[in-house]
Amino acid sequence: QPDLVERLISVDVSPVSTAPVSEFSAYVSAMKSVKIPDGLSRSAARQLADDQLRPVAQLPQLRQFLLTNLVEMEGRYVWRVNLEAISNHLADIMNFPVFHKPYPGPALFLGGSNSPYISSKDYPEIQRLFPKADVQYIEGAGHIVHQDKFEEFIAAVLNFLPPP
C-alpha cells in the first residue's frame, strides 16, 4: 500500500537477501549463552554480559547496542527480544520478500561505509523496486549507523524529509 507511505528510509538494509554476509547468528547464539547470577546490580550484570559477549562481538559499540536489550525482570536479567524466535527464523528475517510492484515515492537507502549491507551489487534491485531511491553512505559508520555516527545520521534523515 504505497499510498500509506509518504517517504521511505531504509537504514543499512537492501532489498536482497543479507544472510551470506550476516554475523547475526553468532550474536544471537552468544546472547543466548550469557549467564548472569540473580541479585547483581544492573551495572554489574551489564559488565558481566559485556565480558561474555566480547569473544563474538569484538566492537564495543556493537556490544553496547546488544546490551540495550538486557533488562531486569523480577530480580533476574533477561533479554527483551525473543532470542529463540529470532534464531529459529533468522533465515526468514535476513531474506527480503519478492515484490514485483515498485514503490513510487521518494526513498533513501542510508548505509554505513564500513558495512556490507548496501552493496553496489544491490543497486539494480534498489532501482527496480524504488525508482526514486537515493543511496547514501555515512563515512566511518558500520551497520548500526545511528549509533556509530549519530549527528551525521540525523542530518541525512532531516535532509531527506520535507521542510516543516
Side-chain angles (χ1 to χ4, degrees), residues 71-152:
V71 295
E72 187 266 331
M73 293 181 90
E74 300 173 8
R76 301 184 64 224
Y77 287 90
V78 296
W79 296 105
R80 177 188 343 251
V81 294
N82 186 337
L83 293 174
E84 205 56 46
I86 291 171
S87 67
N88 289 339
H89 300 281
L90 194 57
D92 296 323
I93 294 168
M94 300 306 291
N95 284 319
F96 193 85
V98 175
F99 287 102
H100 300 289
K101 187 176 177 187
Y103 168 71
L108 172 63
F109 283 77
L110 185 57
S113 67
N114 298 337
S115 172
Y117 292 104
I118 301 177
S119 163
S120 59
K121 297 181 310 213
D122 305 334
Y123 292 174
E125 188 65 359
I126 290 171
Q127 286 302 307
R128 182 182 78 79
L129 290 172
F130 305 92
K132 293 183 182 171
D134 182 21
V135 179
Q136 297 177 18
Y137 296 93
I138 294 181
E139 192 61 40
H143 180 60
I144 311 170
V145 182
H146 64 283
Q147 181 178 337
D148 292 350
K149 297 286 184 171
F150 180 76
E151 290 177 12
E152 293 90 336

Side-chain angles (χ1 to χ4, degrees), residues 6-75:
E6 181 182 330
R7 291 172 175 264
L8 183 140
I9 300 174
S10 174
V11 180
D12 212 48
V13 176
S14 283
V16 298
S17 172
T18 55
V21 295
S22 174
E23 299 92 13
F24 291 156
S25 177
Y27 302 152
V28 171
S29 295
M31 291 169 75
K32 286 169 67 174
S33 69
V34 167
K35 303 288 184 248
I36 301 172
D38 294 350
L40 286 183
S41 68
R42 180 182 169 143
S43 62
R46 285 179 61 94
Q47 184 59 56
L48 184 59
D50 186 62
D51 292 342
Q52 293 176 49
L53 292 172
R54 186 173 287 115
V56 174
Q58 284 99 19
L59 293 174
Q61 58 268 45
L62 172 60
R63 290 194 310 277
Q64 291 306 309
F65 179 73
L66 296 176
L67 288 170
T68 62
N69 290 288
L70 186 66
V71 295
E72 187 266 331
M73 293 181 90
E74 300 173 8

